[in-house]
Amino acid sequence: MLKRLDQRVALVTGAGRGIGAAIARRLATEGAALVLVDRDADALAALAQAMRADGQQALPVVADVTDRAQVEALMAQVNDACGGLDILVNNAGIIRDGLLAKLSDADWDQVLAVNLKGPFLCCQAALPLLRQRERSRIVNIASRAWLGNIGQANYAASKGGVVSLTRTLALELARYRINVNAVAPGLIDTPMTRAMPAAARERLLRMQPTGEMGTAEDIAAAVAFLAGPDARFITGQVLHVDGGKSCGLLAL
Ligand code: NDP
């Protein structure tokens, strides 16, 4: 039976674990051939092996998305191996939380480099490959925090930048029929949030309208929709997948 993403090549950054790994798995389940990108070679190799064992196509490539030379080499490798790219998912991201008075230059620069410059570099380097295919897609992983979050000035600013990048590229790339959308996750159970101090996690959980965390698979499902044929006429949008948290404050 034909699957929704058969014949499509998809690249996911930060695919070594968490949301990125779930997105890679989901897109592969829908029929896409996957390029898995991360800094963590061991995590990539393990995921690629598991996917191949399940009959899925997976090409692991170690690259740091903040490094132009590495990103350009990555896209050249994808071009040689796959002859183009249909779906680019900019997922790699980091947090370095702190209140304004305590944020260091390094905290600011690292978060902006990975979360915002990374998607810029990947979109730019992938553009010639995306243009080789029909109706390609870019899906950027933002965050509900782009609306504002105490202790995350750097992170929120980076994700607000991702939203603006998404909307602008949607306009610029519409002429090539490349749709550009963002998914803004709320609190999701991944290694990133498991590494937070327990008190911070509890506070965030109390602010969840649904009272629960989301799963990486919840985000992967939204990405699969935006990457698939049903989203043909959707571009420049931000899909919040956050259990309702972006709707406003809860009366506690
Ligand atoms: P994780 O920290 O669990 O995974 C992120 C992955 O990205 C890691 O494998 C990490 O590798 C990789 N990575 C980090 N920096 C780079 C880089 N420069 N180049 C290549 N790979 C890199 O994060 P999540 O899965 O939780 O988050 C995924 C995305 O979802 C991020 O953009 C995050 O901001 C966003 N998000 C997550 C939420 C959550 O609640 N979890 C909520 C809202 C948004 P390494 O081990 O080397 O760092």
Side-chain angles (χ1 to χ4, degrees), residues 13-20 37-40 43 63-66 90-95 114-115 141-145 155 159 184-193 196 213:
T13 68
R17 66 181 191 218
I19 291 171
V37 179
D38 205 289
R39 293 185 299 203
D40 185 338
D64 182 334
V65 298
T66 67
N90 287 305
N91 165 79
I94 60 169
I95 49 174
V114 178
N115 297 6
I141 305 302
S143 168
R144 188 229 55 95
Y155 184 74
K159 295 300 189 177
L187 189 63
I188 308 298
D189 185 20
T190 70
M192 178 187 274
T193 45
M196 285 177 167
M213 296 180 90

Side-chain angles (χ1 to χ4, degrees), residues 116-201:
L116 185 54
K117 189 175 180 190
F120 156 66
L121 290 176
C122 289
C123 288
Q124 193 176 60
L127 182 57
L129 285 73
L130 293 165
R131 286 185 61 185
Q132 290 171 35
R133 301 299 186 108
E134 297 286 320
R135 296 195 172 277
S136 314
R137 303 292 165 83
I138 297 174
V139 183
N140 295 321
I141 305 302
S143 168
R144 188 229 55 95
W146 83 278
L147 296 168
N149 215 19
I150 289 173
Q152 290 195 317
N154 51 355
Y155 184 74
S158 74
K159 295 300 189 177
V162 167
V163 170
S164 296
L165 179 72
T166 299
R167 291 168 58 93
T168 299
L169 295 190
L171 292 172
E172 284 191 19
L173 305 187
R175 71 178 67 175
Y176 308 123
R177 298 288 184 269
I178 300 173
N179 295 21
V180 189
N181 290 291
V183 172
L187 189 63
I188 308 298
D189 185 20
T190 70
M192 178 187 274
T193 45
R194 276 173 231 146
M196 285 177 167
R201 267 169 61 104

